[in-house]
Amino acid sequence: MNNFTFYSPTKFVFGKETENQVGDMVKEFGGTKILLHFGGKSAEKSGLLGRVRESLKMSNIHFVELGGVQPNPLDDIVYDGIDLCKKNNLDFILAVGGGSVIDSAKAIAMGVCYDGDFWDFYSGKASPKKALPVGTILTIAAAGSEGSGDSVITKKDGMLKRGTGSECIRPRFSILNPALTQTLPAYQTACGITDIMAHVCERYFTNTKNVETTDRLCEAVLLAMINESPKVIANPNDYEARANIMWAGMVAHNNIVGVGRDQDWNSHGIEHELSGLYDCAHGAGLAVIMPAWMKFVMKHDIMRFAQFAVRVWGCKMDFSNPEKTAREGIESFRNFLNSIGMPATLAEVGGNEKDIPILVKKFGLKEGETTGGFVHLTSNDIAEIYKLAL
Ligand code: NZQ
Ligand code: ZN
């Protein structure tokens, strides 16, 4: 196992009607004049925003609103948010929504405390050191941004989707009420499920030896997702299944299942070019890319893929042909994703073969450069993975 530091300071408040505590929570973390940040219509329509405004008023928290964050959030609303915070001297950002709203809130939080262009953090020109405090009310179990120190934003100019990470943007608190996710369309629920499982897989496929505890934690989260997911697809109002999935989404990405081991994240990078270019849902893009990536890298460590097949998917180990078992595991994963309504091919998320050179170019590797992880990939390898996803 590798050395590690694990620091996850977010306070989580979980359960029914917990959003009504938001005013007190903002106060507890020092917010007095805040930015209330949200997405499209869903939070207004469900009555959630009304309850949030009420709770903030009851706690004498002054707030300025900025709605309209779209999925795969864009840089332009981040600039608007930074201006609003500076003009109104705001001291806290409350994100009400999914990963897109939370990531936009994190970008604003960093941008307010920085003299340059906030995009510097996403282009790799600068690393974030300071941010306004962020709190969240999560409405979709998916990205894990409610517990992560990451943020992903798309620059409109060139549709470049890029991420950054820093401890300074981990939310101070996150309110998780599974009932809030009951209004999600089945497709969006399934996209979230896929993203959660992908976050575990990016950590599971590692070159680090002797990581039995985190291996088993990863497998437990995946098994829980396999068990609970069909229940919410069949019955969107299944609170208990929603609750298990919501907590899995947090656990999958605050890194508790990934500490002490090298991780991959190439599937995420390869997917981000799809949701950047075609504006498809991140989870849908992952459903197409993850199995293709697995097929491409499998031979690097057949026994790890066979372990995944046996322990997670219940495949029978074929000791005379472990590759057969490994392939069965990948097929089981792909079939599971299809069974919850996820796409299987590039075409289903808007892609085609002739765009592959564009996607590879946007990925941005220079001549001779590789991207690290379980298997180091060249531009040609990335093109092969897109081809396997056709
Ligand atoms: O905008 P509204 O109207 O709220 O609709 C949203 C949006 O259309 C809808 N929705 C959310 N909660 C709902 C609801 N509809 C009905 N009822 C509810 N309760 O769902 C749609 C998708 O929302 P979004 O926030 O985009 O989903 P998600 O949480 O999957 O976030 C995706 C973004 O997170 C990034 C992705 O790349 C993508 O940009 N990621 C962020 C990560 C992080 N910060 O740690 C890690 C991830 O790997 C991921 O890359
Ligand atoms: Zn993800």
Side-chain angles (χ1 to χ4, degrees):
M1 197 189 295
N2 301 336
N3 289 2
F4 66 86
T5 300
F6 181 61
Y7 179 64
S8 177
T10 309
K11 179 169 181 173
F12 296 101
V13 178
F14 191 99
K16 291 175 185 165
E17 297 174 15
T18 44
E19 65 275 16
N20 298 329
Q21 300 174 33
V22 69
D24 289 344
M25 300 278 296
V26 169
K27 213 179 221 175
E28 182 184 334
F29 286 92
T32 57
K33 286 174 77 184
I34 76 165
L35 184 72
L36 174 56
H37 201 33
F38 51 92
K41 298 269 181 292
S42 76
E44 194 77 77
K45 212 169 125 195
S46 67
L48 171 61
L49 274 176
R51 296 198 294 284
V52 169
R53 290 184 188 108
E54 199 51 40
S55 175
L56 293 173
K57 280 180 198 154
M58 295 279 286
S59 298
N60 294 317
I61 308 285
H62 172 79
F63 56 92
V64 175
E65 298 194 11
L66 178 62
V69 178
Q70 64 181 67
N72 302 317
L74 296 173
D75 57 347
D76 47 10
I77 199 161
V78 174
Y79 291 114
D80 293 346
I82 294 170
D83 279 353
L84 267 180
C85 287
K86 285 185 174 167
K87 271 189 201 131
N88 295 284
N89 218 8
L90 305 182
D91 55 18
F92 191 98
I93 305 180
L94 176 64
V96 179
S100 295
V101 176
I102 300 172
D103 285 3
S104 181
K106 289 172 172 177
I108 296 168
M110 287 184 282
V112 173
C113 301
Y114 181 61
D115 287 336
D117 182 348
F118 92 93
W119 187 254
D120 290 351
F121 300 130
Y122 295 78
S123 65
K125 204 169 140 192
S127 38
K129 300 273 182 298
K130 212 173 151 217
L132 286 185
V134 172
T136 86
I137 299 179
L138 186 65
T139 62
I140 169 173
S145 191
E146 67 277 14
S148 84
D150 303 320
S151 162
V152 185
I153 301 289
T154 299
K155 190 179 181 61
K156 225 172 174 177
D157 182 11
M159 293 309 274
L160 278 183
K161 190 173 188 185
R162 295 291 177 265
T164 189
S166 168
E167 291 303 340
C168 71
I169 52 171
R170 283 216 198 230
R172 298 296 209 280
F173 71 79
S174 283
I175 294 176
L176 276 57
N177 174 1
L180 297 177
T181 67
Q182 288 171 347
T183 51
L184 278 165
Y187 183 78
Q188 207 62 58
T189 298
C191 287
I193 288 166
T194 308
D195 195 17
I196 293 168
M197 296 177 83
H199 291 164
V200 176
C201 290
E202 300 276 33
R203 293 173 164 97
Y204 190 73
F205 292 99
T206 183
N207 294 315
T208 312
K209 302 290 175 215
N210 301 316
V211 284
E212 183 69 1
T213 302
T214 41
D215 266 5
R216 296 287 185 178
L217 286 172
C218 286
E219 289 157 6
V221 176
L222 291 172
L223 286 164
M225 294 301 292
I226 293 165
N227 209 32
E228 301 302 298
S229 302
K231 297 184 194 168
V232 292
I233 299 298
N235 174 14
N237 295 324
D238 186 333
Y239 176 87
E240 297 300 339
R242 290 267 184 204
N244 278 291
I245 291 173
M246 195 168 215
W247 192 238
M250 203 300 292
V251 169
H253 201 43
N254 86 330
N255 213 24
I256 192 138
V257 303
V259 291
R261 50 200 290 147
D262 295 342
Q263 303 182 7
D264 190 86
W265 299 100
N266 281 331
S267 294
H268 263 68
I270 295 169
E271 187 298 305
H272 282 162
E273 301 312 332
L274 296 184
S275 43
L277 192 64
Y278 306 124
D279 203 19
C280 61
H282 170 61
L286 285 170
V288 172
I289 295 300
M290 280 241 69
W293 171 84
M294 287 179 170
K295 278 184 204 153
F296 188 79
V297 302
M298 182 186 71
K299 290 203 170 135
H300 174 68
D301 188 347
I302 285 287
M303 291 313 285
R304 180 149 282 274
F305 275 93
Q307 175 180 302
F308 175 67
V310 172
R311 291 190 188 170
V312 177
W313 297 103
C315 301
K316 199 166 173 317
M317 182 68 197
D318 186 339
F319 288 97
S320 63
N321 190 355
E323 184 175 333
K324 185 167 161 269
T325 311
R327 284 192 191 281
E328 274 173 24
I330 298 169
E331 252 342 272
S332 302
F333 183 32
R334 196 171 194 249
N335 291 340
F336 173 81
L337 296 175
N338 295 166
S339 76
I340 58 167
M342 284 289 91
T345 62
L346 205 56
E348 290 169 82
V349 293
N352 57 59
E353 192 164 8
K354 81 172 172 18
D355 282 354
I356 290 178
I358 301 170
L359 292 163
V360 173
K361 191 163 174 231
K362 277 166 72 73
F363 192 93
L365 288 182
K366 297 188 191 82
E367 182 78 35
E369 203 181 6
T370 59
T371 170
F374 184 60
V375 173
H376 286 243
L377 302 175
T378 62
S379 285
N380 282 345
D381 296 334
I382 292 167
E384 286 307 312
I385 291 169
Y386 283 126
K387 280 185 199 157
L388 283 169
L390 280 170

